[in-house]
Amino acid sequence: MNAIEIHDLHKGFEGFFLKNISFSVPQGTVMGFVGENGAGKSTTIKCMLNLLKKEYGEILLFGKDHVEHELSIKNDIGVVFDDLHVPETLNATQLDKIMSKVFQTWDSGYYFERLAQFKVPKRKKIKELSRGMRMKLSIALALAHHPKLLILDEPTSGLDPIIRDEILDLFLAFMQDETHSILFSSHITSDLEKIADYITLIHNGEILLSESKDALLYEYGIFKGNSEEVNDLPKHAILRTRPGTFGIEALVLKKEVNEAFRLERPSIEDIMLFFVKGSV
Amino acid sequence: MVGLILKDLMTIQRQMKAQAFVLVFLLVMAIFMQQSSMLLAIIVFIVTIQAITALSYDEQSKWDKYANTLPISKADIVFSKYILSVMLMIIGLVMALPILFFINFFTNNETEFFLTFNLIVTLALCSLAVLLPIYIKFGSIKGRIVLIALCFIPGFLTGMFKEYIPDMPQTFLYLKQYVYLTPFGGLLLLCLSSLVSTAIYKRKEF
């Protein structure tokens, strides 16, 4: 079963459109959702959560329509935005009391364990917490009702590497249960390399690719050479090219290229740059 | 719903504490001036208006973006603000009444008390019925501007149709006998207002 399935999603604003967005997140996997700022990641996520109304298209979460079954779906998801959107005069203990009235499955014990693990002060007002602390609190809030799906919209942006690593470990622990899934939007591609099973790349409101991370990293290669050398590559093997430091760099399908060509292993960042800035 | 009301009460708790000092000051003033209705009006309005404060805090923190990811219906999110404001008004009245009886006991102007009480409650309910949809639709900054604009409308209309309005004191005397009905009218208006607010909120995007 797919935890998330999106078919043909369209949403338009003045000067920006989401066009034909289609991808799915199989249950038990982590989908990295990458793209530059303004590419449409947050808009897609907001459409999924019905914070924005889609123009047309189909969005299924756990196989159910996201509007028709909105409340039952929202019982099973945890959402983390790039900031904690709760009134700043509240503190973590008050949030526990509030959330225990919102979710039937709210687990105060688990919530306070996470706060202790992250050293988040229980009685300090949110406005007095650092950005890192706010994000940790936000993640504890998203996890404490034991959701099946986490939807994370840039949860690690603006955080230092130590905190990011701690947070990624927590997500990996969440994935120990094979019925759990994560949609992780980020432009910090190194985070996704650590945690994602699949990568979906969005650019200018369109999906450029949606594939398994291993397929991307092991089936694609980067060839660096001058224009003549690049011309020797089989045409059908070249996915994208871009100007490099010493000539031209080409993203190629490894298995279509003779072993005589020395290929480098790409990172997700390389692939993103080839697809966004390279030419066909 | 309970969670939402609890959240609002916790959010405005501090604000209420700060305003308690103002209330104590007003209480002393009201006792000296023997003005029980002034005290009642101020207490009811200060307490009731806290629902608007809660809305401003929500707006500042983009709470609605988060609340709409939780298993809470949009109607409940709106309705909780109405229940909160009526709850606060009742709390305000419960707080104010013993003091009022105390003042009235010494001043003996009970005859007008019932009239004033009804009018104040009605006015508070009507203000909420107008304020809440405006704040939900426009947010606290634009809402304030719309509100100021709205304040001029009654004056403007009165000026325009002065000749058609019957003799004011006479009309008031006639209406006075129905004053006990006005809080129910206010409540009805508040119910209608909640339907309008829900319709507005359901069309909003976050």
Side-chain angles (χ1 to χ4, degrees), chain B:
Chain B
M1 176 81 87
V2 180
L4 291 174
I5 294 172
L6 190 65
K7 175 221 123 217
D8 283 336
L9 287 174
M10 285 171 170
T11 308
I12 57 177
Q13 203 179 23
R14 228 181 121 77
Q15 188 88 6
M16 300 263 289
K17 274 182 201 160
Q19 280 164 359
F21 288 104
V22 182
L23 285 180
V24 171
F25 173 71
L26 287 168
L27 175 67
V28 176
M29 245 175 77
I31 291 172
F32 276 109
M33 291 167 67
Q34 304 192 338
Q35 275 291 335
S36 58
S37 31
M38 177 194 89
L39 183 70
L40 180 69
I42 291 171
I43 290 183
V44 169
F45 275 91
I46 285 187
V47 175
T48 313
I49 222 74
Q50 297 305 320
I52 302 293
T53 312
L55 269 175
S56 307
Y57 273 116
D58 284 357
E59 191 187 335
Q60 200 183 15
S61 62
K62 297 186 185 162
W63 161 258
D64 288 293
K65 184 176 170 187
Y66 184 64
N68 280 284
T69 69
L70 303 174
I72 309 170
S73 72
K74 288 184 165 57
D76 275 1
I77 293 176
V78 173
F79 211 53
S80 71
K81 288 286 183 290
Y82 281 83
I83 294 190
L84 174 80
S85 46
V86 173
M87 255 175 67
L88 289 171
M89 185 190 287
I90 294 170
I91 293 172
L93 289 175
V94 168
M95 271 165 45
L97 285 179
I99 305 164
L100 292 182
F101 285 128
F102 178 74
I103 296 175
N104 282 349
F105 182 74
F106 290 104
T107 54
N108 298 322
N109 60 0
E110 279 160 45
T111 42
E112 290 296 304
F113 172 72
F114 187 62
L115 176 77
T116 326
F117 177 83
N118 276 317
L119 285 179
I120 288 171
V121 169
T122 308
L123 206 61
L125 289 171
C126 291
S127 319
L128 279 171
V130 175
L131 281 171
L132 286 171
I134 290 174
Y135 273 70
I136 287 171
K137 168 85 182 162
F138 298 103
S140 57
I141 294 171
K142 275 196 210 161
R144 229 170 286 163
I145 298 165
V146 176
L147 198 69
I148 293 166
L150 276 181
C151 287
F152 286 106
I153 293 176
F156 177 72
L157 289 178
T158 321
M160 286 274 287
F161 303 104
K162 216 172 179 177
E163 55 216 80
Y164 304 108
I165 299 171
D167 185 23
M168 290 270 197
Q170 208 63 42
T171 320
F172 279 128
L173 277 177
Y174 172 71
L175 289 175
K176 202 173 158 183
Q177 53 186 318
Y178 298 111
V179 79
Y180 58 91
L181 285 176
T182 52
F184 297 103
L187 214 51
L188 184 72
L189 195 66
L190 198 64
C191 291
L192 290 174
S193 158
S194 78
L195 296 178
V196 173
S197 296
T198 309
I200 293 170
Y201 195 76
K202 278 185 177 168
R203 290 173 60 183
K204 273 184 108 170
E205 294 194 316
F206 304 97

Side-chain angles (χ1 to χ4, degrees), chain A residues 11 46 51-53 71 74-75 79 81 85-87 89-90 94 97-99 101 103 125 141, chain B residues 3 6-7 10-11 13-14 57 61-63 65-66 68-73 202 204-206:
Chain A
K11 173 75 186 169
K46 283 181 181 177
L51 295 173
L52 292 177
K53 290 174 177 49
L71 295 189
K74 286 179 176 173
N75 256 315
V79 182
F81 292 113
H85 297 305
V86 298
T89 53
L90 299 176
Q94 288 175 318
K97 288 191 184 117
I98 295 164
M99 290 303 168
K101 299 280 185 291
F103 289 104
K125 279 195 208 105
L141 281 170
Chain B
L6 190 65
K7 175 221 123 217
M10 285 171 170
T11 308
Q13 203 179 23
R14 228 181 121 77
Y57 273 116
S61 62
K62 297 186 185 162
W63 161 258
K65 184 176 170 187
Y66 184 64
N68 280 284
T69 69
L70 303 174
I72 309 170
S73 72
K202 278 185 177 168
K204 273 184 108 170
E205 294 194 316
F206 304 97

Side-chain angles (χ1 to χ4, degrees), chain A residues 3 18 24 35 43 68 144 197 211 220 256 261 280:
Chain A
L18 277 187
S24 51
T43 308
E68 211 175 305
D197 301 302
E211 276 189 59
Y220 289 9
E256 303 291 335
F261 290 97
V280 183

